[in-house]
């Protein structure tokens, strides 16, 4: 059974993420829009180094990790025979630090999510092959079989379970980012959004939540909530800084990282409130995402639990300043964002 939370206890429980991420600094731009295999840092046998080339976003840490035969033997035969795990990162075109972005050498994909995919691949005895794409093409890759599993801040939702299977590995917390001089704050009440213009990513769980709030406001006869979409972050933040939008609603790690990075600049922003990625009563979860009935969710969860039990998981989170998003265990297809959140 999922743990139930009050709205305010959820808000209290996740505000620590912002403080943890204020240590992050620096950002490198990401390149063009394709879904080709992306260069990632190589490791020596029996080790995986996380936080490489992060431009200050992480502490580079080398972790000992090797294949666990009792887990790798549970892989689908075709994947085991091929010997590779194709990992999807839906972070084009402009990157999504600290989760996934091009490193400070301007060519290597780094970030907490591809790093964790590489750790899981090591436990499974597979060579990681990371493919970077847009968010939309990430799911096309899963559907077509070109990608085995997404490690890309994908939220477990009941809608997505119609097509995908999940192995959870991190809490999913969302945030509102505003200009530093804004006096607006969000404490979990959708009525605070009346008359506001908010940007959100298309096809995300936060979009689903925001559109449900928009519908509630319309039904209540309140001032309308206007929702805006941008293809890349530069345009989004230009709109925020110029006052064309009031707030950006997105993943807490990304927004907290950006707020920390801009703190001492004319474009300074701040976090104005947070919310669970699964709605008002359920803690959201980020999960490794594979095509439904692929047979991957169970060995993925077993590999994640091995990393949790043996300490590499905690060290990976610490390296990327994400320790407050830790979960106690990985679950296969845990309860996620409901089909309706009203």
């Amino acid at each position: 059974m999922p743990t139930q939370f009050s709205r305010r206890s959820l808000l209290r429980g996740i505000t620590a993420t912002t403080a943890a991420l204020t240590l992050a600094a620096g950002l490198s731009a990401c390149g063009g829009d394709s879904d080709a295999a992306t260069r990632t840092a190589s490791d020596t046998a029996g080790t995986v180094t996380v936080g490489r080339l992060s431009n200050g976003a992480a502490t580079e840490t080398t972790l000992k990790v090797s294949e666990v035969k009792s887990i790798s033997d549970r892989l689908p035969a075709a994947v085991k025979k091929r010997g590779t795990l194709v990992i999807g990162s839906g972070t084009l075109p402009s990157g999504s630090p600290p989760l996934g972005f091009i490193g400070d050498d301007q060519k290597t994909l780094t970030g907490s999510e591809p790093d964790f995919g590489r750790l899981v691949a090591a436990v499974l005895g597979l060579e990681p092959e990371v493919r970077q794409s847009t968010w939309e093409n990430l799911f096309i890759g899963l559907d077509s079989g070109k990608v085995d599993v997404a490690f890309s801040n994908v939220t477990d939702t009941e809608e997505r379970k119609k097509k995908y299977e999940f192995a959870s590995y991190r809490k999913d917390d969302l945030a509102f980012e505003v200009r530093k001089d804004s006096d607006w704050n969000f404490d979990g009440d959708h009525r605070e959004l009346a008359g506001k213009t908010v940007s959100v990513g298309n096809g995300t769980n936060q979009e689903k939540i925001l559109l449900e709030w928009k519908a509630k406001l319309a039904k209540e006869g309140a001032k309308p909530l206007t929702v805006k979409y941008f293809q890349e972050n530069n345009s989004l933040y230009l709109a925020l800084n110029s006052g064309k939008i009031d707030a950006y609603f997105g993943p807490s790690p990304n927004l907290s990282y950006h707020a920390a990075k801009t703190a001492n600049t004319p474009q300074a922003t701040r976090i104005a409130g947070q919310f669970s990625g699964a709605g008002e009563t359920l803690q959201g979860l980020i999960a490794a995402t594979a095509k439904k009935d692929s047979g991957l969710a169970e060995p993925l969860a077993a590999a994640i639990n091995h990393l949790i039990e043996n300490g590499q998981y905690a060290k990976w989170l610490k390296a990327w300043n994400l320790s407050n998003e830790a979960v106690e265990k990985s679950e296969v297809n845990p309860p996620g964002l409901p089909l309706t959140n009203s």
Side-chain angles (χ1 to χ4, degrees):
M1 293 293 290
T3 304
Q4 299 296 310
F5 300 85
S6 71
R7 176 188 296 153
R8 295 189 182 276
S9 67
L10 274 171
L11 292 167
R12 288 195 300 269
I14 63 184
T15 51
T17 302
T18 303
L21 281 166
T22 55
L23 299 174
L27 168 63
S28 294
C30 192
D33 187 0
S34 72
D35 59 358
T38 303
R39 176 189 170 110
T40 54
S42 58
D43 295 292
T44 58
T47 68
V48 173
T49 299
V50 301
R52 273 194 180 126
L53 303 169
S54 69
N55 202 16
T59 301
E60 186 172 319
T61 307
T62 298
L63 304 176
K64 292 182 178 180
V65 57
S66 54
E67 180 180 3
V68 179
K69 290 287 292 180
S70 61
I71 298 176
S72 62
D73 285 346
R74 297 160 64 179
L75 284 166
V79 175
K80 189 172 178 64
K81 182 179 180 180
R82 190 179 68 214
T84 60
L85 185 68
V86 183
I87 297 166
S89 173
T91 49
L92 287 177
S94 55
S96 186
L99 303 175
F101 58 104
I102 296 299
D104 51 29
D105 66 349
Q106 302 303 315
K107 59 185 177 182
T108 303
L109 179 66
T110 189
S112 60
E113 301 292 84
D115 274 357
F116 194 59
R118 290 164 51 233
L119 284 167
V120 170
V123 176
L124 296 173
L126 300 173
E127 185 70 23
E129 178 185 321
V130 182
R131 291 183 174 268
Q132 191 180 24
S133 68
T134 62
W135 177 256
E136 294 81 6
N137 283 343
L138 174 66
F139 294 95
I140 292 172
L142 289 169
D143 295 343
S144 67
K146 291 182 179 179
V147 171
D148 294 319
V149 57
F151 282 93
S152 194
N153 204 56
V154 181
T155 301
D156 164 34
T157 76
E158 297 307 311
E159 179 66 32
R160 289 176 181 156
K161 284 196 180 94
K162 295 175 182 178
K163 295 179 66 176
Y164 307 105
E165 57 188 39
F166 298 99
S168 58
Y169 62 90
R170 191 164 52 77
K171 292 179 183 178
D172 175 33
D173 298 328
L174 303 172
F176 285 93
E177 185 178 11
V178 299
R179 285 173 29 167
K180 188 175 181 179
D181 59 4
S182 170
D183 60 3
W184 182 80
N185 290 290
F186 180 80
D187 71 358
D189 187 343
H190 70 279
R191 291 170 294 185
E192 293 162 336
L193 292 161
K196 300 299 180 182
T197 299
V198 179
S199 176
V200 71
N202 186 38
T204 60
N205 65 305
Q206 56 265 28
E207 179 195 31
K208 182 178 186 297
I209 292 171
L210 193 65
L211 291 179
E212 288 179 352
W213 284 333
K214 176 182 171 73
K216 282 184 179 180
L217 289 170
K219 187 176 181 180
E220 293 163 0
K223 291 182 179 179
L225 164 64
T226 302
V227 178
K228 295 285 188 180
Y229 299 92
F230 297 90
Q231 291 299 313
E232 44 85 28
N233 287 341
N234 288 338
S235 297
L236 187 158
Y237 283 113
L238 281 172
L240 182 63
N241 291 325
S242 67
K244 291 182 179 179
I245 61 173
D246 297 302
Y248 171 37
F249 187 41
S252 181
N254 303 98
L255 276 58
S256 297
Y257 177 94
H258 181 264
K261 180 180 178 293
T262 62
N264 297 313
T265 73
Q267 294 78 38
T269 63
R270 66 178 180 84
I271 301 303
Q274 296 185 302
F275 198 77
S276 168
E280 295 183 359
T281 60
L282 185 67
Q283 173 61 60
L285 293 171
I286 299 299
T289 305
K291 192 174 183 178
K292 189 173 182 178
D293 299 324
S294 65
L296 281 168
E298 289 193 8
L300 287 167
I304 294 166
N305 282 324
H306 174 82
L307 293 168
I308 291 173
E309 292 160 8
N310 289 275
Q312 298 99 330
Y313 172 79
K315 292 175 182 177
W316 159 70
L317 286 172
K318 183 179 179 181
W320 283 101
N321 302 302
L322 295 173
S323 295
N324 287 305
E325 300 203 351
V327 294
E328 293 183 0
K329 65 177 181 178
S330 177
E331 299 176 272
V332 174
N333 294 326
L337 177 68
L339 291 172
T340 59
N341 195 41
S342 56

